[in-house]
Amino acid sequence: MLDLSAAFLCFLTFSFFSLIYVLSSSNYSDHPRRNSCPQSYPIVGSLIGFLRNRHRFHDWVVELLSTSPSLTIQVNGFLGLSHGICTANPANIEHLLRSNFSNYVKGTRFQSVLCELLGNGIFNVDGEIWLTQRKISSHEFNTKSLKYFISETVQSQLSTRLIPRLSSACKDQKVIDLQDVLRSFTFDNICNVAFGVDPAWMDSKNDDQNSFSSSFVHAFDYAVEVSLNRFMLPLPVIWKIKRLLNIGSEKQFKEAIRVVNDFAINIIRSKEQNYQNMKETGEECCQDLLSRFMHSSSNLAFRDDDEKRRFLRDIVINFVLAGKDTTSTALTWFFWLIAGHSQCKRLIHNELSAVSPDKLPGIFSYDKLKQLNYLHAALSESLRLFPPIPINSRLTMSNDTLTCGTHVGKGWFADYSAYAMGRMEKLWGPDCREFKPERWLDDNGIFQPCDQFKFPVFHCGPRMCLGKDMAYVQMKSIATAIMCEFDVVAVDGGGCPERLANPPYTLSLLLKMKGGLPVRLKRR
């Protein structure tokens, strides 16, 4: 569960790529500057550069940032309508996300685009509203009972849904898109964790069910897609006029939001009744996030029941969005990488056998998962090279100066590229573009986390992702279950060292694999 919504704002920049980026491929050393601060370049340079590098945009940003002594570049928009900076400097990121936290916010543009979907949820607000939700969420995510609940939920769905689905494909010798299969599975899983309800998306695709849950899945997907498109429109007034006139995609979006709201409110009403019954009988409260938030927020002051239900709806929908596709995207790149690195795959299998030699294949408890140091390192290395959210963004409230000396003006956007940071020699050494899980292990083979501002995949500072541990539990559970049962053979040969130079990603909100991940499965 990564901080998805924080990345949406970067697409205000994406929609103007051919106009915004005023950087050519010129060498920064040819342009001396005071305090290593970046300078702007002619608009023609950026247009030509973008057209030439559109298919490899994130790698182009890597090249631009790596030529700056401060790993920071300044970005000016068409006709001076927008300004900003983009950085891969850990000191600058610490300044943005912790040291001067209050100066870099989501802002009104962000909130106006996502207000219907996310409401006043934790990923769409600033100030006191955010702080209240953060305190409640932080308490719940730090409980051991939630971590065990997540692990047990994942294991149950693995044995009853994902493994049978993969076994069928293996038996029929079918080529399947592992990215799509993982996406369906993780969405079902996050809904179970968040609502305590199973939408059965993976099953509904096969059975063509027309259930209320299935309607929610499709409505939620459509609402996210339209929200993203709003950010990408060159002129925001376009979608605002369509919304005012209730036409086109905005009309369908309104209907999708109604379905999402009905689904959430109906579940909340049902949970309220169950919660009241449990209080009267002294039964233990359910473990899903919605039930936990209902209990944690019971002492907050609400005007009426409807206001409380909206509060619960917003906070849970935010977590569904955060966990919807990020875990599946991360796992897709992980399986692609190990398919191209046989030595890494062999070391993971050795570790699985050593940690749980007598257990049923693929079934690892929460405590056993914590012992999988090499697998944890391999997943972290995959995230370093392919962060599900490649660029993140903030809006500047007041004039400021970054640690490196770069000026940031009021109203500017301030972006940081997690994708670029994983490919910076200054941060990771000359082998930064190689897939080497060993870089995360000490001499005893124990996983060693690095500084959060050097590895901002789970965001940083006060807004650091609360679901980080949950994400690792999900990823490790799914990876062990699949790898114990099957040998995953990528049709394209996987992420071998040669292919890492030109990885097949799409230019979108998430760093999804272009064309999916077609694989064949062989029984181990």
Side-chain angles (χ1 to χ4, degrees), residues 38 41 227 232 242 350 449 487 492:
Y41 289 89
S227 297
M232 297 180 71
K242 290 170 67 177
N350 290 346
D487 183 21
D492 70 354

Side-chain angles (χ1 to χ4, degrees), residues 363-515:
I363 304 300
F364 286 78
S365 67
Y366 174 72
D367 292 323
K368 289 288 186 182
L369 290 173
K370 291 195 294 184
Q371 299 176 37
L372 300 174
N373 285 279
Y374 190 85
L375 176 59
H376 199 105
L379 287 165
S380 298
E381 181 71 348
S382 178
L383 288 168
R384 181 183 72 85
L385 290 169
F386 298 102
I389 301 170
I391 295 181
N392 226 314
S393 188
R394 283 291 179 269
L395 185 68
T396 309
M397 297 297 290
S398 303
N399 292 338
D400 193 22
T401 301
L402 300 181
T403 304
C404 70
T406 299
H407 170 72
V408 186
K410 178 181 179 180
W412 287 22
F413 59 84
D415 294 353
Y416 68 87
S417 172
Y419 183 93
M421 293 188 75
R423 288 164 171 76
M424 290 293 156
E425 280 196 35
K426 292 180 181 179
L427 305 182
W428 297 96
D431 60 355
C432 61
R433 294 175 181 265
E434 299 176 26
F435 179 66
K436 296 180 68 174
E438 291 76 13
R439 76 174 78 242
W440 294 86
L441 304 172
D442 64 15
D443 293 339
N444 297 316
I446 305 300
F447 178 81
Q448 299 297 310
C450 75
D451 177 66
Q452 59 176 303
F453 300 103
K454 179 182 174 183
F455 180 66
V457 174
F458 293 93
H459 208 53
C460 309
R463 280 190 181 264
M464 188 170 185
C465 178
L466 292 170
K468 178 180 177 180
D469 289 342
M470 174 180 170
Y472 272 111
V473 168
Q474 287 179 310
M475 290 188 293
K476 290 163 83 170
S477 297
I478 295 169
T480 55
I482 293 177
M483 294 185 70
C484 284
E485 293 280 348
F486 309 102
D487 183 21
V488 180
V489 181
V491 172
D492 70 354
C496 58
E498 294 75 20
R499 297 209 67 202
L500 277 173
N502 187 27
Y505 55 74
T506 60
L507 186 57
S508 65
L509 170 64
L510 288 168
L511 195 70
K512 293 183 179 179
M513 188 169 289
K514 186 176 182 180

